[in-house]
Amino acid sequence: GSGGGAGTDGGGVAGGIAFQGPGADASAGVCAAAADVARSADDEDGLEEGQPHLSKRPRSDLRALAAAPQSLPQLRRPAREVPAERGLSLEEFLLRDFGAGSPVVVRGGCRAWPAARRWGSEAFWTDGAIGQRFVPVEMDYWLEHGFQLMPIRDFVAHCSIAAARPSPLTGLSAGGYIAQHALLDVIPELQADVLTPDIALCGGGGSILRQVFFGPRGTVTPLHFDPYENVFCQVVGFKYLRLYPPSEAPRLYPRESGDVLSNNSAIEPADILEGEAFLEADFVEALLEPGDMLYLPRGWWHFVKSLSTSISVAFHFD
């Protein structure tokens, strides 16, 4: 939250919310550090103590939420790509990609969204009512440290801290990640900024689930597969993805069927990029930039890493 306190007996307090468990002190520390950044921004803008935050115009209106990484990975096996100037027709998608169950990157596929113009500003997330909304922040992918509630304004400050560091924060969630969250339902005013892609309407199940992924540089989603189709839209920032077809599952060390995370690989995330032994498995890669869209077919294994502060919207359908 906006304040911080010392944790005792394995618990921590931040912004009036208590956290329990082995990661509670760290969770409270993230909240406190984020709140310090927010307070320092208030001080820079000349706010006197006790003056409400919403009564001033913050410096965040001059800052972009995400900066382009200084270097980007070179793709050895790029996925099929459709350039922005050509676009992808629904007929081509159905015949060439959806029917074959093969991934495709559509450059500029969501560039026309209002979100692509609005969400890249820090002020959009820190000013007004949106900045005061509380969201559940995943502290660890394996959920050993659970979730932490914090205002979006403080979460954005956490992302700024991570972006300023010489290297990403440790842990798969990089100190805190809004992962696979129904943010568009929690904050209805965001819904008009997002347009459902035509290619996400191709499922026979008749339902679409929209999930938002919002996190700092360095977040990692370990190698896993999902039992649904996915149109993954990169709104802010940059992400790297490595994709393996379902036929490669025996080479990807899937977890036991009784495991609660049986759709995950037992391979350590670092080994996905650095372990040459795994190159014998067939894969393709994608580097998503702001405004890009990826069709990720059902059952494809995928590893995801944020190269900057990042916001993605995924459309899951049957």
Side-chain angles (χ1 to χ4, degrees), residues 24 82-83 175 184 198 222 249-250 285:
V82 176
L184 301 177
D198 289 346
E285 302 167 287

Side-chain angles (χ1 to χ4, degrees), residues 54-286:
L54 298 180
S55 66
K56 54 88 179 182
R57 182 180 180 87
R59 290 182 182 270
S60 60
D61 62 356
L62 304 177
R63 291 199 298 264
L65 183 63
Q70 294 183 349
S71 63
L72 294 172
Q74 296 295 315
L75 303 186
R76 291 174 292 174
R77 307 179 190 179
R80 183 173 107 79
E81 183 176 308
V82 176
E85 57 270 20
R86 181 167 75 82
L88 178 65
S89 71
L90 190 58
E91 181 181 8
E92 179 185 355
F93 171 71
L94 288 172
L95 293 176
R96 184 166 181 177
D97 306 303
F98 189 70
S102 180
V104 59
V105 174
V106 184
R107 296 294 180 195
C110 61
R111 190 179 296 164
W113 288 7
R117 300 190 302 271
R118 289 155 51 86
W119 290 12
S121 165
E122 278 196 11
F124 179 85
W125 299 102
T126 57
D127 288 6
I130 289 179
Q132 309 307 312
R133 297 298 292 267
F134 279 76
V135 289
V137 178
E138 174 189 287
M139 303 309 298
D140 174 67
Y141 178 84
W142 307 112
L143 301 183
E144 294 177 357
H145 301 309
F147 291 84
Q148 173 182 328
L149 287 176
M150 77 167 65
I152 287 183
R153 180 172 183 255
D154 290 356
F155 178 75
V156 169
H158 156 62
C159 292
S160 297
I161 292 171
R165 289 172 54 93
S167 59
L169 292 162
T170 58
L172 300 180
S173 297
Y177 190 16
I178 302 173
Q180 198 159 312
H181 182 53
L183 192 65
L184 301 177
D185 298 320
V186 174
I187 308 178
E189 52 263 49
L190 298 178
Q191 295 184 14
D193 290 343
V194 172
L195 310 178
T196 301
D198 289 346
I199 63 175
L201 301 173
C202 296
S207 64
I208 299 177
L209 182 64
R210 300 175 302 178
Q211 304 278 12
V212 174
F213 298 78
F214 187 168
R217 174 174 63 114
T219 59
V220 170
T221 301
L223 188 63
H224 71 288
F225 72 90
D226 296 312
Y228 41 71
E229 309 284 355
N230 187 351
V231 176
F232 192 83
C233 301
Q234 187 64 21
V235 182
V236 174
F238 296 75
K239 271 187 175 170
Y240 169 86
L241 298 93
R242 182 172 289 192
L243 317 173
Y244 297 83
S247 59
E248 295 299 312
R251 296 186 175 94
L252 301 178
Y253 300 87
R255 291 174 180 264
E256 298 293 333
S257 58
D259 194 311
V260 67
L261 294 172
S262 59
N263 66 324
N264 280 249
S265 168
I267 301 173
E268 289 294 327
D271 291 336
I272 296 295
L273 300 180
E274 301 172 5
E276 292 298 322
F278 303 116
L279 292 180
E280 62 186 34
D282 187 30
F283 67 85
V284 294
E285 302 167 287

